[in-house]
Amino acid sequence: MSDRVRAALAAALSADAVRAAEPHELVEPRGQWQGRAACVALPRSTAEVAAAVGVAARLRVPVVPYGGGTGLVGGQVMPDGVAPILLSLARMTAIRDVDPAGGTMTVEAGAILSDVQAAAAEAGRLFPLSLASEGSARIGGLLSTNAGGVNVLRYGTARELCLGVEAVLPDGSVMHGLRRLRKDNTGYDLRHLLIGAEGTLGVITAAVLRLYPRPARQGTALIAVRDPAAAVELLGRALAGEGVSAFELISGQGLRFLSETGVPVRQPFADPPAWSVLVELGLPEDADPDARLAAVFEAAVEDGLASDGVVAQSAAQRRDLWHLRETIPEANKRVGAIVSNDISLPIAAVPDFLTAADARIRAAGRFRINAFGHLGDGNLHYNVFPPEGVSKADIADRAADLREIVETEVAARAGSFSAEHGVGRLKVATLERYGDPARLAAMRAIKAALDPLGIMNPGAVLRAQGSGDAPAPQAVSR
Ligand SMILES: Cc1cc2nc3c(=O)[nH]c(=O)nc-3n(C[C@H](O)[C@H](O)[C@H](O)COP(=O)(O)OP(=O)(O)OC[C@H]3O[C@@H](n4cnc5c(N)ncnc54)[C@H](O)[C@@H]3O)c2cc1C
C-alpha cells in the first residue's frame, strides 16, 4: 500500500515532493508517542496540497497535517491504523504580503513563527503570538491548535490574531478565505472551525494575520509574592493601568528544578521564593514602564502582597528573566512528571484550585508539584512529579489517580482540561468525559459532514470511527 501511495503522490506532485519519514517526524516533544507514516508529502503550493489530499481520498489513506512537530498532545503523530501520509507544510514558507497600514500580513502555513515575527518587525509592526517553541512551530500548526503563549492577556490566542484562512478540505477542494476584513458577517465562519481543529477538518495552507503597533518601551519585573491570592490581587492592580502584555506565575518548585537539573539560568533570588510573578508592560514612547512597575511593586510590599523583586535594567536582564520562565519546561522534562496538565480556570478561582488540588495530591503521597504559567489569562501548567529519589517509572500506576484529582478540581470550578495545547490524541477520552454532550454530537456531525471518509487526522480530537478505545492518556512532562 505504501508503495502505491508514494507512486500516486509522486505522479500528482513530483518525485522530489515525496520521501520517507525521518525518525524525528514520528515522535513528539515528550517522546510518548511513536507515529507511523507511509511517506512524507512536501507540497510547494496550495494546488499541490489539494492534489495530495485528492490522492489520499482516492486511495482512502489518512492524512496527518504536519507543521513544526512541536504539538504537545500527539496530534501530529498517528501511532496506529493504516500508515498515513504525513503532509508537511515545510516548503510553503512564503510571507506573501505585509500591509502595515492595514495591519495585516498574509503568510503561507509553513512559515515559522519567529520568521513571521521578524517580518512584522521589519515593517515596524508586531505579530504578538509568542511561545517557547516559536523557532520551530509553523503558522498552520499554531492556528490548528489555536496556540496561546505569553501575550494572550493583551492580544488573544492565535484565533484572535487571524482574519482569514485558506485551506484544503478533505475532499481536495480549496476554501479561499484569505480575506483581510474586520467585518464579514456572511454566514458560518469556517475559519473558526478550522482554527483549533488540529488538522481533523482540513489542511490550512495560508492565513491572513493581524498586526499591532510595536510598544515603544518595555518593562519587565520579577516579583516575589506572598501566595497565589496575592498574585491575583497584583494582576488586578497591574491591569488597572494600560499595557500589561504578560503576567506569568512561577513556583519555587520550578526555580528549584532549574537549579537541580543544571539548566543554565541566572537565578535572581538567593533563595527561590515560594511564588513569584513575571510581569511585562509594553507602553508608548512618552510612558515610563519601569517607574510604573516600581510603583506597583512598592505598593504591593506596603500591603503585604510582595516581599522582593527585580526590575530589568537592560535588554539583557529582560532576556534573562524571560529565559528563566521559558526554560522551566526543559527542567520539568529532565525531572520527569508523572502527569502534566494544561488547564485554565476563571482567574479568581486559581488560588482556591491550587489549595484544594495541592492538598489532595499531598494527601495521596510525597509528590512534588510545579504549577506555573499564564496566570494573566487563567492558564496554568499543573505538573505532578515523583517524590525525590523515586523514578517516574516506579510510580507510573499512580498517574490515573493524580490526573483524576486535577481534572475533577478543574471541572468543579468550571475550568478547562486543555487550555492551549489542544486535545490531540492525548485527551480524546477526557473530552468524551467532560465535554458537553450536545457540543460533542455537533462536533461529530461536523466531522462526518466535512470528512465523510474519515481520512483527515483520524483519532485526533474525536475517536476514529470503529476504533474502539481512545488512546490511553500517558504520563508526560512539561
Ligand atoms: C517548548 C515548548 C513550548 C510550548 N509552549 C507553548 C505555549 O506557550 N502555548 C501553546 O499554545 N503551545 C505551546 N507549545 C505547543 C506547540 O508549540 C503548539 O501547539 C504549536 O501550535 C504547534 O505548532 P506546530 O507547527 O509545531 O504543529 P505540529 O506539532 O506539527 O501539529 C500540531 C497539530 O496541528 C495540526 N497541523 C499542523 N499543521 C497544520 C496545517 N497546516 N493544517 C491543519 N492542521 C495542521 C497537526 O496535525 C497536529 O494535530 C509548546 C511546545 C513546546 C515544545
Side-chain angles (χ1 to χ4, degrees):
M1 182 60 169
S2 291
D3 288 348
R4 257 182 82 203
V5 174
R6 280 196 289 267
L9 283 170
L13 279 66
S14 63
D16 77 339
V18 189
R19 62 163 168 77
E22 290 171 10
H24 73 90
E25 291 166 327
L26 298 176
V27 292
E28 39 71 55
R30 288 160 167 167
Q32 300 294 321
W33 305 82
Q34 180 60 54
R36 311 164 64 224
C39 60
V40 178
L42 289 146
R44 288 189 173 82
S45 64
T46 302
E48 286 195 356
V49 174
V53 172
V55 166
R58 183 159 52 81
L59 299 180
R60 305 285 197 272
V61 185
V63 175
V64 175
Y66 190 87
T70 68
L72 292 170
V73 287
Q76 72 278 31
V77 292
M78 195 173 144
D80 36 40
V82 175
I85 298 168
L86 212 57
L87 202 155
S88 167
L89 279 295
R91 281 182 176 166
M92 293 179 58
T93 58
I95 310 263
R96 290 189 191 159
D97 173 71
V98 183
D99 175 4
T104 65
M105 70 196 290
T106 305
V107 307
E108 291 185 348
I112 288 179
L113 176 55
S114 55
D115 294 338
V116 171
Q117 293 166 341
E122 218 168 280
R125 291 290 181 271
L126 174 75
F127 180 61
L129 190 62
S130 175
L131 30 90
S133 55
E134 62 198 24
S136 310
R138 298 177 189 272
I139 290 300
L142 291 153
L143 289 171
S144 297
T145 57
N146 186 23
V150 294
N151 291 329
V152 170
L153 171 62
R154 183 166 183 180
Y155 299 102
T157 62
R159 183 185 298 287
E160 284 138 297
L161 298 172
C162 178
L163 290 175
V165 156
E166 176 191 86
V168 172
L169 300 179
D171 63 357
S173 61
V174 179
M175 188 186 89
H176 300 280
L178 293 181
R179 294 158 79 87
R180 306 172 185 199
L181 310 175
R182 257 80 172 173
K183 291 185 170 178
D184 179 22
N185 287 344
T186 50
Y188 303 157
D189 197 334
L190 298 185
R191 162 189 51 157
H192 284 311
L193 261 187
L194 286 155
I195 296 174
E198 300 181 54
T200 60
L201 297 179
V203 185
I204 294 176
T205 50
V208 179
L209 305 174
R210 291 178 83 136
L211 300 178
Y212 286 83
R214 296 187 76 73
R217 303 192 58 191
Q218 280 176 310
T220 308
L222 185 68
I223 300 175
V225 291
R226 186 191 63 213
D227 54 21
V232 170
E233 168 66 25
L234 205 60
L235 171 66
R237 292 182 181 197
L239 288 176
E242 291 291 298
V244 184
S245 50
F247 197 97
E248 299 284 303
L249 184 69
I250 297 175
S251 76
Q253 185 65 78
L255 297 178
R256 285 194 297 280
F257 278 169
L258 285 168
S259 306
E260 276 169 39
T261 57
V263 175
V265 289
R266 271 183 228 276
Q267 294 266 7
F269 302 117
D271 288 322
W275 296 100
S276 50
V277 291
L278 182 61
V279 190
E280 176 140 305
L281 300 182
L283 296 172
E285 189 60 56
D286 55 356
D288 183 348
D290 291 353
R292 245 193 64 203
L293 285 169
V296 168
F297 171 65
E298 279 158 23
V301 172
E302 251 171 53
D303 298 341
L305 301 173
S307 55
D308 202 352
V310 283
V311 177
Q313 298 300 314
S314 63
Q317 278 184 9
R318 186 173 164 257
R319 273 197 303 277
D320 283 348
L321 292 181
W322 272 109
H323 186 62
L324 193 73
R325 160 64 185 90
E326 286 181 340
T327 45
I328 289 174
E330 176 56 29
N332 285 348
K333 197 172 170 182
R334 293 186 189 186
V335 178
I338 314 170
V339 288
S340 72
N341 301 275
D342 163 44
I343 58 169
S344 67
L345 293 153
I347 291 169
V350 167
D352 181 52
F353 163 81
L354 288 170
T355 305
D358 285 17
R360 285 183 65 190
I361 284 170
R362 295 201 203 287
R366 289 179 301 110
F367 300 107
R368 291 172 293 170
I369 300 165
N370 184 11
F372 67 103
H374 318 301
L375 180 65
D377 59 49
N379 173 198
L380 292 183
H381 302 301
Y382 189 88
N383 298 355
V384 186
F385 297 80
E388 227 167 331
V390 177
S391 97
K392 149 177 147 180
D394 290 343
I395 47 170
D397 59 335
R398 304 296 307 277
D401 288 351
L402 295 171
R403 189 175 291 107
E404 168 85 14
I405 291 174
V406 178
E407 286 173 2
T408 51
E409 293 297 334
V410 168
R413 291 165 181 80
S416 168
F417 64 84
S418 185
E420 61 177 5
H421 294 163
V423 175
R425 291 182 167 76
L426 184 68
K427 304 221 162 160
V428 172
T430 319
L431 176 62
E432 288 172 349
R433 179 170 175 192
Y434 292 103
D436 174 68
R439 177 169 172 257
L440 275 171
M443 284 171 66
R444 291 190 186 108
I446 290 166
K447 171 75 175 168
L450 288 183
D451 183 18
L453 300 176
I455 56 165
M456 203 51 78
N457 209 359
V461 184
L462 297 171
R463 190 186 297 250
Q465 279 172 354
S467 71
D469 289 342
Q474 301 173 34
V476 288
S477 24
R478 166 153 185 257

